[in-house]
Amino acid sequence: MPSAPDRLAVHEEDFGDAEGILRRQSLRESAARTYARSLPVVPVRAHGMTIEAADGRRYLDCLSGAGTLALGHNHPVVVEAIRAVLDSGAPLHVLDLATPVKDAFTTALFETLPRELAEHARVQFCGPAGTDAVEAALKLVRTATGRDGLLAFSGGYHGMTAGALAVTGDTAVRGVAGGGADAGVTRLPYPYAYRCPFGVGGEQGAELSARLTESLLDDPKGGIRPPAGMLLEPVQGEGGVIPAPDAWLRRMRAVTRARGIPLIADEVQTGVGRTGAFWAVDHSGVVPDVMVLAKAIGGSLPLAVVVYHEDLDVWRPGAHAGTFRGNQLAMAAGTATLTHVLREGLAARAAALGARMLARLRDLAAAHPCVGDVRGRGLMLGVELVDPEGTATVHGVPPAAPRLAAAVRGAALDRGLIVELGGRDASVVRLLPPLTMTDEQAEAVLDRLADALTAATASRT
């Protein structure tokens, strides 16, 4: 059985008053805070996959900044890249002016893109969050096509600004923000095998999803005007770690190309080796018209871009701007990260290690009836928890078990493992470890998760 989080020999003046910090945060910060509620940890130092907290405990971090930390915390190549810019005296804020740091980042980025896109690509530097890159992508395709409507998918998550919320599938997250901003969005069923909306799952479910998409687009009385674009995640993250079948992605590419609809791939969370390929679309060979990139491309610092085919580049100067689109430190950190992931073959490493972890998670599922499904790609893994004694849903599977999932997350934290939840009813335990995770750390993660699941299920009986 794995041991509880390690107690470090630390000096109180180095770490401060953990309980006081948490108390002041709860009094001062917005009620919208999220991770701080479920993960009452005060990080003070971090390296690789390990976080040291102010109370002297160590944790294995399987959240990785919601997928931002491809190389983990404070990787030497990232730290050195940041230090080099600071020591050089280069300007840190440059709006969208050309700099050697920016040129190096753009060059490194283009070297990783699908070749067919890279040879004809333009890049738009956005505000530092992925949601702004989504906004830019939507504005881009609307401007280029002269059309307004959009195709998006159930379960999709694309950000917290008005346009991004409009194409997000979670009605609770959308709330009333944006008013009628989502009126022009047509939602299509994403191929979710475990909870297939057609009740069949697998290849047949994906085929029906594709047929419905084609039918709606081609039916003159289907109620859909020719849209400005289709937006999808190759692997849904917040939606519950749901990988799209490669054949379905190719079908969506064929559907959109035949009808002159730009295809937008949201790779904010799936990019930079996370899924076992440098970009998740690489698995299927699909080349989208637009790629939305953020999180890991900044090497732990805020950076977001849209890469798109030159034929769509019809913007006028200033059509999309942002004061902090020239973050030199993030570009330097991003260049170091992109280069290191590519040179060290970390995408292939993620594929191999992720496959081994998935196999062990399936063994866990076989031993625990409350594990309804395990799935993922590379080091983007999900464990969907259910109530095996509950009444089957319309999908023919047991209902979600959000309280159990929350209990597992808490029990994991007690054992020195940081995980987060996602999916329908927040019932999917998500694992997003850094690509630099060692074999030993992977085993420790799985051991602690298994122990947490056992403890959480025992406490319910």
Side-chain angles (χ1 to χ4, degrees), residues 134 139 345 436:
V134 170
K139 187 188 299 183
T436 53

Side-chain angles (χ1 to χ4, degrees), residues 21-413:
I21 291 170
L22 290 171
R23 183 176 63 255
R24 287 188 290 276
Q25 182 191 41
S26 69
L27 292 172
R28 295 169 175 170
E29 287 195 26
S30 163
R33 68 190 186 281
T34 54
Y35 298 109
R37 294 179 183 276
S38 57
L39 302 171
V41 174
V42 180
V44 292
R45 296 193 187 109
H47 179 76
M49 194 177 178
T50 302
I51 286 177
E52 299 180 9
D55 61 1
R57 293 185 173 188
R58 282 185 176 177
Y59 299 86
L60 290 176
D61 182 10
C62 265
L63 180 56
S64 298
T68 297
L69 303 170
L71 303 182
H73 296 274
N74 294 318
H75 193 283
V77 301
V78 172
V79 173
E80 287 303 316
I82 294 171
R83 183 176 291 118
V85 174
L86 291 173
D87 290 345
S88 73
L92 301 182
H93 188 286
V94 294
L95 296 172
D96 66 354
L97 299 178
T99 70
V101 173
K102 183 178 184 178
D103 184 62
F105 171 79
T106 304
T107 299
L109 177 63
F110 275 44
E111 287 176 353
T112 71
L113 296 173
R115 184 155 303 280
E116 186 180 331
L117 178 59
E119 291 174 350
H120 302 280
R122 296 290 185 270
V123 60
Q124 167 71 26
F125 288 84
C126 305
T131 190
D132 189 60
V134 170
E135 299 283 350
L138 302 183
K139 187 188 299 183
L140 172 72
V141 295
R142 283 169 164 156
T143 302
T145 64
R147 304 190 291 259
D148 186 59
L150 296 164
L151 303 176
F153 289 89
S154 57
Y157 176 82
H158 302 286
M160 282 289 181
T161 48
L165 279 174
V167 288
T168 288
D170 192 327
T171 53
V173 169
R174 290 208 316 273
V176 297
D182 61 349
V185 178
T186 298
R187 300 190 195 283
L188 301 167
Y190 194 86
Y192 181 6
Y194 186 64
R195 297 187 184 276
C196 176
F198 305 104
V200 293
E203 294 182 3
Q204 187 178 358
E207 172 64 19
L208 291 174
S209 169
R211 287 187 187 183
L212 178 60
T213 300
E214 291 179 303
S215 175
L216 288 172
L217 289 172
D218 294 341
D219 184 353
K221 294 186 182 297
I224 300 178
R225 293 178 179 177
M230 173 188 283
L231 175 64
L232 58 79
E233 298 163 273
V235 181
Q236 289 191 341
E238 302 299 326
V241 193
I242 308 171
D246 291 339
W248 180 84
L249 279 174
R250 289 190 287 267
R251 186 78 167 272
M252 292 301 100
R253 173 70 283 189
V255 166
T256 53
R257 180 176 285 125
R259 293 159 180 79
I261 302 169
L263 177 63
I264 309 167
D266 183 340
E267 292 250 17
V268 169
Q269 192 167 101
T270 56
V272 194
R274 167 63 54 192
T275 68
F278 209 96
W279 305 107
V281 292
D282 293 340
H283 291 289
S284 62
V286 163
V287 179
D289 301 293
V290 184
M291 293 178 68
V292 181
L293 314 176
K295 291 191 186 294
I297 66 164
S300 75
L301 298 180
L303 186 63
V305 303
V306 179
V307 178
Y308 54 91
H309 195 282
E310 61 191 0
D311 290 349
L312 297 172
D313 197 27
V314 297
W315 272 340
R316 294 180 179 180
H320 195 81
T323 302
F324 292 99
R325 65 194 185 277
N327 188 333
Q328 298 293 278
L329 293 181
M331 291 178 190
T335 301
T337 298
L338 294 169
T339 302
H340 190 77
V341 171
L342 192 62
R343 183 179 60 237
E344 299 299 319
L346 293 185
R349 163 74 178 166
L353 186 54
R356 293 202 300 271
M357 293 181 71
L358 199 58
R360 268 203 63 185
L361 289 173
R362 287 177 177 143
D363 291 340
L364 190 67
H368 292 273
C370 62
V371 178
D373 192 33
V374 296
R375 53 185 178 259
R377 205 155 200 179
L379 290 177
M380 189 172 182
L381 303 168
V383 179
E384 181 160 351
L385 300 180
V386 299
D387 178 1
E389 298 178 359
T391 303
T393 69
V394 294
H395 305 96
V397 297
R403 291 185 179 179
L404 175 60
V408 170
R409 177 181 57 191
L413 192 68

